[in-house]
Amino acid sequence: MSFNSFGHMFRVTTWGESHGPAIGCVVDGCPSRIPLSEADIQPFLDRRRPGQSRFTTQRQEADQVKILSGVFEGQTTGTPIALMIENTDQRSRDYGDIAARYRPGHADFTYDQKYGIRDYRGGGRSSARETAMRVAAGAVALKVLATLLGPAVRITGALVKMGQYSVDYARWDDAEIQNNPFFCPDAGVVSLWEEYLTSLRKAGSSIGGVVEVRAEGIPPGLGAPVYGKLDADLAAALMGINAVKGVEIGEGFAAANLRGEDNADPIRQEGGEVRFLSNHAGGILGGISTGQPIIARFAVKPTSSILVPVPSISSTGDNVEVITKGRHDPCVGIRAVPVGEAMMACVLADHLLRHRGQQG
Amino acid sequence: MSFNSFGHMFRVTTWGESHGPAIGCVVDGCPSRIPLSEADIQPFLDRRRPGQSRFTTQRQEADQVKILSGVFEGQTTGTPIALMIENTDQRSRDYGDIAARYRPGHADFTYDQKYGIRDYRGGGRSSARETAMRVAAGAVALKVLATLLGPAVRITGALVKMGQYSVDYARWDDAEIQNNPFFCPDAGVVSLWEEYLTSLRKAGSSIGGVVEVRAEGIPPGLGAPVYGKLDADLAAALMGINAVKGVEIGEGFAAANLRGEDNADPIRQEGGEVRFLSNHAGGILGGISTGQPIIARFAVKPTSSILVPVPSISSTGDNVEVITKGRHDPCVGIRAVPVGEAMMACVLADHLLRHRGQQG
Amino acid sequence: MSFNSFGHMFRVTTWGESHGPAIGCVVDGCPSRIPLSEADIQPFLDRRRPGQSRFTTQRQEADQVKILSGVFEGQTTGTPIALMIENTDQRSRDYGDIAARYRPGHADFTYDQKYGIRDYRGGGRSSARETAMRVAAGAVALKVLATLLGPAVRITGALVKMGQYSVDYARWDDAEIQNNPFFCPDAGVVSLWEEYLTSLRKAGSSIGGVVEVRAEGIPPGLGAPVYGKLDADLAAALMGINAVKGVEIGEGFAAANLRGEDNADPIRQEGGEVRFLSNHAGGILGGISTGQPIIARFAVKPTSSILVPVPSISSTGDNVEVITKGRHDPCVGIRAVPVGEAMMACVLADHLLRHRGQQG
Amino acid sequence: MSFNSFGHMFRVTTWGESHGPAIGCVVDGCPSRIPLSEADIQPFLDRRRPGQSRFTTQRQEADQVKILSGVFEGQTTGTPIALMIENTDQRSRDYGDIAARYRPGHADFTYDQKYGIRDYRGGGRSSARETAMRVAAGAVALKVLATLLGPAVRITGALVKMGQYSVDYARWDDAEIQNNPFFCPDAGVVSLWEEYLTSLRKAGSSIGGVVEVRAEGIPPGLGAPVYGKLDADLAAALMGINAVKGVEIGEGFAAANLRGEDNADPIRQEGGEVRFLSNHAGGILGGISTGQPIIARFAVKPTSSILVPVPSISSTGDNVEVITKGRHDPCVGIRAVPVGEAMMACVLADHLLRHRGQQG
């Protein structure tokens, strides 16, 4: 059962609400003798942290991670690694509005239907704040991958579409991703995005986006043919990120338009090296990695926390108009980039350990 | 761990290769006293069965399901339900080609990388034949849903896109779906699809497609906020179907283009009844069902089993050209329709039982 | 969730009732390229098979196992291994008595309380017949252990106590175990047991027993310190065998009587070899194997299927006296011996694969 | 996979070492709207806490539990409940001895074999300190049971044997259990135990014991017939407590001595009420609860932390004699009593939720 856990061999359990004393996670199944310290995790949290540009929520959190267990003298011990971040910016405010009204597009209504009780402060477990712990767990996963597979392992995420404005893949530059507030790999589109997002923010509106995540240096053989498929697990992991409404691998939905001969990836051998001539498959065939880069994309809806009024009901059933004030991201797709990277790292670490276990 | 199982409370484990004596599954966790007989399952298998039109593979299988356990005097007993289909059309043929060469776009290469051994006859576990057991399990899941939730439950799948030719949603007619060999809900596009697929078949080629699945009559409250999200589980279930490369819920990838106020689903109360004015969310908010229809779509790639030669390598590493003869579907998206329905039924049955268990 | 499965990496799911068409199991997670055929499994089933002496039930079953999937050209493929035994001796008889009355000491009453329906023919899932599939799965597990760990692996079970008559450990002889109908390792007690069991059988009564199972050749390091303890998993596996009421490891309950210095196992190094001078721990410390023989014992209650009348109630609540006629074992502990061996093999195979997966 | 978790619907994950900054656990799957505060948990921790009499270790820990998530306005929200206890008595000392030598009877040797690294300070994860979190989780489980089943639910543990000195069951008095430092239910044996344990402590030795745990007010129907057996899960839970070497249910090992007619529990109906006339079964038949009290016992070995020297080896392989100084319990069975109660509460809460989920 997995209400708040994911993974099997590399298993992550998260806990905490954005307005409680802390949030945290337990990483179970991490092999022993992986070098690990808080300094390995903090930079990833810093990338995800809000308040770094005017394009993300102004909520200020230091997001300082602490390792509470599972590490001894700089190395993992094989026992559970507990990570915790104390919540420091629990701004005291009046939640009367949110407590009494269901914000459209939010989980307020469904929480009440399911649990009959709701921690309305900041979205409870559905707060994007929970994703900080995924990023922390992803940093541990990346250390596992790098230690077991070597330095060729690299996971790269980027925002490839904001509203209708896509990047030009011909201009893709990994180095550019860190140069702008959007994790955008195409320098040519950055100023357009800046203007666009500024206008949306002023209008109190929001916009969706598409994120791409790529893993390099992953050996062939990870995954399984039927229900432990690597792509199925990636789909669950990425669809499970807040506000995600679609996931695709490799060619994805565009594969529906292709003929068999155009979608197949030819294989050649040269000097003993096996090489695929294209990567429509996104690095996965029959649920198992091919050794090519693993490529996934996911669509993030526009946040429903906007200043434009939307019809809704109160928790007592009255018709109301809801405006969601507060500190929000006009394009939540931006901050979903490091989260997507983290989820891919976790899924790959899990499958790597599973694969090792299955070997005769 | 789940190499060949899916679900938690309603748990399905499948086994069998297309060229062994039989395929089967075990459905564990089915509540007791659900009326069940082979006649409840067979019609679903008949819909998925190949060889019913010139647009699907000509492999002939009776696909006669047998219940081997878990049912007593016409009712489930709460113990595991074993289902089995004997393989009858194991046409004796020469597999020399497939045994020695990796078919591009197939799992041949990755199997050898993972397992070091490969049952090359008909694709082994990666054969679409395995999906017959998903359909059988889905039929049991549907009985569970109908028995526990009442007759309002209905799951409907359809092919909504073949290559570049989409259906017109304005002409959608559920009744039409059974009237054509494509599970197409739009009578206006059927003859176009017929011509198109006939020409592809003659060219020895294939094409991708998009399937939509809708569940009605599902109460609010199924799912969980973080890692037991209903949409994440649906994503895994649908991405796990052979040849699927993308999954979306509700507005899906199109949500990336929308502004917050356009993507939010307004809520109104009228006469004590809560009603959403739109369903961009696809019936799921924060991972939990809203009570609206649950809507998912998935993209199916064109089969790589085509008569057009594609460069590849032999299992000994030589460069070769591969043509895959045999009995194949020019658009595997067609037969994926009942499989998609079945997977949605299984996921919903699982979440319904989980939800009941979680209730105080 | 595990209603009918056990194990994680090496996962066994069983199905079937004693009076249905067949019983079976699916072994999932078995590594590829393990040599396996029906001839590897059948001898274990033959040992467990009833009707081999006058001291076990006279039910006659050929118990002929079939491998339905997961093996190709004599080797496992890494895909699920389905095993099936057809039920051949479903003697047609009148179950009126059992259908209407709760046999004391049986699960009749609890089944009705739980499920509201009960397959009363032969005990349904609680029939000892289900254990045939555990023995079959155990044979696969043993192949895994032998292939991965080498020929030093050996699992030996024996009946060490029948009623009040224990074996003399000083006379223990592994070879003797196959020489008598009791799996008794002490030739000196066999004739006493014969007389005793004959008199019990004539009286229509039954008696309990204690089984010991020992695994040799298991390396140190299997298990985990907290909830994946090797001894905890063994306890669950052995307590889960029909009629078992107690499990102990190494010194077991006798450890309660000992002082620390008498229970500790001294360690010595000699010529580079680490050696424990005793094995009170039963080969497990802190939930992890030490490399010494792993030793477990379990207590089997006397079967409640006896000719002596016992007060009970009918399913409609009337007070009745119940005599259970039919073909039963006066000491079910005897046939529990191969089942205990099988469960230990499954637990060890599971932990071996888990351990490999966890290694950095 | 479950290295550091147990349970399925009511799932507990613990983390932390005795010498790190804190220990904690995450309780996932707890139904919403269960009243819960730290005051519900603290009394159970206080019972388990060391240093309360001269018969337990003198380590002083406040063991003050904090609820970090999952509770809102005094009620559970259905989201994960994180509990934490900060370690306050991490006495700075020289661990040179323990770091370099394997204490016989401890997990030092097996840890090094498994992980190649070992947090030698206080036993790491194998420290009895970890059980504090089990007790905390058990307190939550008990609230779940009491809320869902009513006030008749009661779980009672007691030490029934210290070394060779058993309690007299005829003198059993639940109220007495809280009156002495041994959780002893028989006032008549307390002074004998006091003298005995005092002499052992003076000799620097230790002794084993047997604990009994009883659950009343549990309805029939919890459990499952094959691998989700209530007794099998109890066996795993109790065997998983530190130093436990044996577990039995109801009559337990004594059932091996009994004839069928003596072990069967007769059933009578009187005034519409079903009543068992005895409880050899310990409240479980065929893996499912009968509605009678559930009774389990477990054997705890004497701690190996003694002042009597025992031969062992250093981590570099040299032969040494080991004396384990420090603050230890001469009879760890005493403090295992509240841990046993907690584990039973957790298993029952898990099975209660599973049972509800399985119901049609």
Side-chain angles (χ1 to χ4, degrees), chain B residues 238-320:
Chain B
L238 298 175
M239 189 69 92
I241 298 173
N242 308 35
V244 171
K245 299 304 285 183
V247 178
E248 55 183 18
I249 305 291
E251 201 63 34
F253 273 86
N257 300 333
L258 294 182
R259 292 170 65 134
E261 59 272 32
D262 299 325
N263 188 59
D265 299 309
I267 319 177
R268 289 284 88 168
Q269 182 270 123
E270 227 170 300
E273 197 95 332
V274 171
R275 208 159 46 83
F276 287 85
L277 304 187
S278 59
N279 190 11
H280 296 283
I284 302 175
L285 279 175
I288 302 172
S289 64
T290 63
Q292 286 195 284
I294 293 168
I295 295 171
R297 269 177 308 282
F298 55 94
V300 185
K301 72 174 186 184
T303 181
S304 312
S305 298
I306 49 178
L307 297 176
V308 184
V310 179
S312 185
I313 56 170
S314 71
S315 49
T316 51
D318 296 318
N319 286 323
V320 293

Side-chain angles (χ1 to χ4, degrees), chain D:
Chain D
M1 215 52 141
S2 52
F3 297 120
N4 291 283
S5 303
F6 66 95
H8 296 261
M9 294 289 290
F10 184 90
R11 187 164 178 87
V12 178
T13 301
T14 77
W15 56 265
E17 288 87 28
S18 68
H19 287 65
I23 58 173
C25 73
V26 184
V27 178
D28 196 10
C30 182
S32 62
R33 289 185 287 180
I34 306 288
L36 187 71
S37 75
E38 282 140 2
D40 291 310
I41 303 171
Q42 195 61 48
F44 291 89
L45 288 165
D46 292 345
R47 283 183 74 213
R48 192 211 72 98
R49 192 151 48 87
Q52 302 193 93
S53 82
R54 68 181 188 282
F55 301 113
T56 56
T57 166
Q58 293 309 299
R59 179 173 168 121
Q60 293 291 341
E61 294 279 6
D63 277 3
Q64 203 67 39
V65 71
K66 278 189 218 164
I67 298 176
L68 296 179
S69 70
V71 175
F72 183 58
E73 298 180 346
Q75 288 191 303
T76 59
T77 58
T79 63
I81 302 166
L83 305 174
M84 188 170 77
I85 295 174
E86 287 176 57
N87 288 328
T88 53
D89 183 25
Q90 307 161 52
R91 194 181 288 195
S92 134
R93 48 168 286 203
D94 177 14
Y95 288 99
D97 272 19
I98 298 181
R101 290 153 175 240
Y102 297 137
R103 292 167 297 162
H106 278 277
D108 301 344
F109 172 75
T110 53
Y111 265 54
D112 258 6
Q113 291 291 320
K114 183 172 193 73
Y115 298 114
I117 183 177
R118 177 166 60 97
D119 182 352
Y120 43 75
R121 301 165 307 165
R125 283 292 282 164
S126 289
S127 164
R129 184 141 185 72
E130 187 271 342
T131 61
M133 295 324 301
R134 307 192 190 197
V135 169
V140 179
L142 204 57
K143 287 290 282 191
V144 170
L145 292 169
T147 307
L148 302 189
L149 297 176
V153 174
R154 216 174 135 226
I155 295 182
T156 311
L159 189 69
V160 297
K161 194 160 177 277
M162 178 188 287
Q164 308 200 348
Y165 305 107
S166 293
V167 303
D168 180 345
Y169 275 74
R171 288 190 305 229
W172 186 296
D173 175 8
D174 277 1
E176 173 61 23
I177 295 170
Q178 315 307 332
N179 287 344
N180 61 72
F182 308 116
F183 300 112
C184 174
D186 169 10
V189 84
V190 168
S191 59
L192 173 65
W193 285 10
E194 274 178 355
E195 280 170 48
Y196 181 53
L197 210 54
T198 302
S199 76
L200 281 165
R201 197 164 55 90
K202 286 186 181 155
S205 183
S206 63
I207 191 71
V210 174
V211 173
E212 179 165 318
V213 186
R214 188 179 73 229
E216 291 158 293
I218 304 302
L222 305 197
V226 183
Y227 299 114
K229 281 182 166 155
L230 184 54
D231 37 5
D233 280 2
L234 278 172
L238 298 175
M239 189 70 91
I241 299 172
N242 308 35
V244 172
K245 300 303 283 183
V247 178
E248 55 183 18
I249 305 291
E251 200 64 34
F253 274 86
N257 299 332
L258 294 182
R259 292 169 66 136
E261 59 271 31
D262 298 325
N263 188 61
D265 299 310
I267 320 176
R268 290 285 86 169
Q269 182 269 123
E270 225 170 304
E273 197 96 331
V274 172
R275 208 158 48 80
F276 287 83
L277 305 188
S278 59
N279 190 10
H280 297 283
I284 302 174
L285 279 175
I288 303 171
S289 64
T290 63
Q292 286 193 285
I294 293 169
I295 295 170
R297 270 178 307 281
F298 56 94
V300 186
K301 72 175 185 183
T303 183
S304 312
S305 299
I306 49 178
L307 296 176
V308 183
V310 178
S312 185
I313 57 172
S314 71
S315 49
T316 51
D318 296 318
N319 286 322
V320 294
E321 300 292 304
V322 172
I323 289 173
T324 310
K325 293 172 201 156
R327 302 159 295 172
H328 294 288
D329 294 277
C331 178
V332 286
I334 298 171
R335 286 175 57 219
V337 170
V339 182
E341 293 172 345
M343 295 310 280
M344 187 175 268
C346 288
V347 169
L348 290 170
D350 187 37
H351 273 277
L352 178 61
L353 300 182
R354 289 164 72 166
H355 181 63
R356 291 188 168 217
Q358 268 185 290
Q359 293 306 297

Side-chain angles (χ1 to χ4, degrees), chain C residues 78-157:
Chain C
T79 64
I81 301 167
L83 305 175
M84 187 171 75
I85 296 174
E86 288 177 55
N87 289 326
T88 53
D89 183 26
Q90 306 160 54
R91 196 182 288 197
S92 134
R93 49 167 286 201
D94 178 15
Y95 287 100
D97 272 21
I98 298 180
R101 291 153 174 238
Y102 296 138
R103 292 167 298 162
H106 278 275
D108 301 344
F109 172 75
T110 53
Y111 265 54
D112 258 6
Q113 292 289 321
K114 182 171 194 73
Y115 298 114
I117 183 176
R118 175 165 60 97
D119 181 351
Y120 43 75
R121 301 165 308 164
R125 282 292 281 166
S126 290
S127 164
R129 184 141 185 72
E130 188 271 340
T131 61
M133 295 324 302
R134 307 194 190 194
V135 169
V140 179
L142 204 56
K143 287 290 281 190
V144 170
L145 293 170
T147 306
L148 302 189
L149 297 176
V153 173
R154 216 172 135 227
I155 295 182
T156 310

Side-chain angles (χ1 to χ4, degrees), chain A residues 103-161:
Chain A
R103 292 167 297 162
H106 277 276
D108 301 345
F109 172 75
T110 52
Y111 264 55
D112 258 7
Q113 292 291 322
K114 183 170 193 75
Y115 298 116
I117 182 176
R118 177 165 60 96
D119 182 350
Y120 43 75
R121 301 165 308 165
R125 282 293 282 165
S126 290
S127 164
R129 184 142 185 71
E130 187 270 340
T131 61
M133 295 323 302
R134 306 193 191 196
V135 169
V140 179
L142 203 57
K143 288 289 282 189
V144 170
L145 293 170
T147 306
L148 302 190
L149 297 177
V153 173
R154 215 173 135 227
I155 295 182
T156 311
L159 191 68
V160 296
K161 194 161 178 275

